[in-house]
Amino acid sequence: NLKKQLIAVETCQRELHGQTYHNLHNFILYFSENCGTYFPEVKRNLDKYIQCCPESVKRWLRRLKDSGKILLLITSSHSDYCRLLCEHILGADFAEFFDVVITNALKPGFFSQTPNQRPFRTLENDEEREALLSLDKPGWYSQGNSTQLYELLKKMTGKLEPKVVYFGDSMHSDIFSARHYSNWETVLILEELREDQAMVHTKTESEPLEKKGKYEGHHPKPLHSVSKQWGSFFVDAISGEEDTAEILVNTWSCKCVKAYSTITIPSIEAIADLPLNYRFTRFSSESSITAGYYPKPPRSLLSSGEQVPTK
């Protein structure tokens, strides 16, 4: 009887997964075909679903470009969908901000796969064409891998080991992969940090007071990102033995932030007005678990016993 019940459960799960996949496929389908539910709805209501980029961030991108930095845009979205979003977010001339645009990057495979497994492909009218043996010049490409991209950066910079600083909002697809496979410096964009910001000002000895980012002088509207069910993103409470208080411990997600990100910020806007030579305190194996958060550590980490780090 137990064997029959297990077979019945497995059959039910397969049918459910198949139906779920079928529904999901019908929901998404393909951007270019303008069918399904997701893409037509986004196209009709861009202002409802997509926020335009603040002018401060656009100025920041221009300052980086004018200072000689090479700017890359790497997204797992297909070329046509990327174009739609970026034109709405940054403007029709968005491609001028970037030296290299890579779409359908299929992260995290972009970082873990070899050139033979994941070659770059050219694009023609947003359709993928021939596979490339190497990446020889800046431009707009599809798929690819971080190994050949890094070789291109060597050519463009004239340096044997150019430093790459990679910004991303996914620990799995962006931050862990870029650090673990490519050893790039990583900046995690973590919205939960806006909700859990400490309310104390952190003055450092190495930076004058006029060097402040957007969120050092005032506090943005919270995002209500602390789950009523799961609690803080950063700290969890474990019940002690009888008649003992709860013990606060750092969550697995919090430990990943310190292990794989160089610094963590609530948004690009938080650093957009800073000088390009601003020196951030970074996470390291020897530093406090709060060290790399900018502009301030999460309040929940401070209340669990961590002190505000100073340089």
Side-chain angles (χ1 to χ4, degrees):
N1 288 339
L2 178 59
K3 183 177 181 181
K4 289 181 179 179
Q5 290 175 354
L6 291 174
I7 292 174
V9 170
E10 183 179 358
T11 302
C12 180
Q13 287 178 334
R14 287 178 179 174
E15 291 175 353
L16 177 60
H17 291 166
Q19 184 65 32
T20 301
Y21 175 80
H22 176 73
N23 291 339
L24 183 61
H25 181 264
N26 287 339
F27 178 76
I28 298 178
L29 287 176
Y30 295 101
F31 177 87
S32 59
E33 296 177 5
N34 202 36
C35 53
T37 304
Y38 177 81
F39 287 124
E41 173 66 15
V42 172
K43 286 180 182 180
R44 286 191 301 266
N45 299 285
L46 277 172
D47 288 328
K48 179 179 179 181
Y49 298 109
I50 310 299
Q51 294 182 353
C52 291
C53 181
E55 286 300 318
S56 61
V57 176
K58 294 180 183 179
R59 290 194 298 269
W60 178 72
L61 291 172
R62 293 190 187 98
R63 285 195 294 138
L64 287 170
K65 195 78 179 290
D66 292 343
S67 69
K69 299 293 188 292
I70 295 172
L71 299 188
L72 316 170
L73 174 61
I74 306 173
T75 174
S76 290
S77 296
H78 283 267
S79 178
D80 46 9
Y81 187 50
C82 169
R83 193 184 306 278
L84 174 78
L85 296 186
C86 287
E87 286 182 351
H88 182 78
I89 294 169
L90 290 168
D93 59 347
F94 78 92
E96 296 179 5
F97 286 113
F98 304 102
D99 298 278
V100 180
V101 177
I102 301 168
T103 57
N104 195 25
L106 303 172
K107 297 177 288 184
F110 180 83
F111 298 102
S112 61
Q113 300 293 300
T114 66
N116 288 335
Q117 294 172 315
R118 187 71 59 75
F120 280 96
R121 292 185 177 275
T122 58
L123 285 162
E124 184 177 328
N125 297 323
D126 291 323
E127 293 291 330
E128 292 182 351
R129 298 304 186 194
E130 63 175 320
L132 301 174
L133 296 177
S134 62
L135 207 58
D136 298 322
K137 59 183 180 180
W140 192 311
Y141 301 96
S142 187
Q143 296 195 40
N145 58 89
S146 60
T147 300
Q148 288 180 315
L149 174 60
Y150 195 67
E151 291 302 315
L152 174 63
L153 293 178
K154 290 180 182 180
K155 296 178 183 178
M156 294 176 68
T157 61
K159 298 179 179 179
L160 292 177
E161 296 182 351
K163 179 178 288 187
V164 181
V165 181
Y166 181 82
F167 290 72
D169 61 3
S170 169
M171 177 57 70
H172 171 67
S173 298
D174 295 314
I175 303 304
F176 168 78
S177 303
R179 171 62 64 83
H180 180 74
Y181 295 107
S182 300
N183 199 32
W184 290 356
E185 302 282 8
T186 53
V187 179
L188 173 61
I189 302 171
L190 186 65
E191 287 187 328
E192 287 82 355
L193 190 57
R194 285 177 56 180
E195 175 70 16
D196 207 357
Q197 282 284 279
M199 301 301 291
V200 292
H201 174 67
T202 55
K203 179 181 177 181
T204 64
E205 296 179 1
S206 59
E207 297 295 349
L209 291 177
E210 61 268 18
K211 287 189 175 184
K212 291 184 179 181
K214 184 175 180 63
Y215 296 149
E216 289 187 76
H218 70 282
H219 303 283
K221 183 179 179 181
L223 296 175
H224 305 291
S225 57
V226 175
S227 168
K228 292 180 180 179
Q229 179 176 359
W230 301 109
S232 169
F233 178 89
F234 305 97
V235 175
D236 197 9
I238 297 179
S239 299
E241 299 177 1
E242 268 188 59
D243 301 325
T244 61
E246 289 184 328
I247 301 171
L248 294 179
V249 297
N250 298 323
T251 63
W252 178 80
S253 297
C254 180
K255 293 175 182 177
C256 286
V257 169
K258 181 179 187 292
Y260 300 112
S261 68
T262 304
I263 64 170
T264 294
I265 60 177
S267 68
I268 296 291
E269 195 177 4
I271 66 170
D273 292 328
L274 291 172
L276 295 182
N277 63 348
Y278 183 90
R279 289 179 294 168
F280 293 91
T281 302
R282 57 186 294 152
F283 290 114
S284 69
S285 58
E286 296 82 17
S287 69
S288 161
I289 199 167
T290 62
Y293 290 103
Y294 180 90
K296 300 176 182 69
R299 183 171 56 249
S300 55
L301 282 184
L302 297 180
S303 62
S304 68
E306 282 280 349
Q307 299 297 315
V308 178
T310 58
K311 294 181 184 179

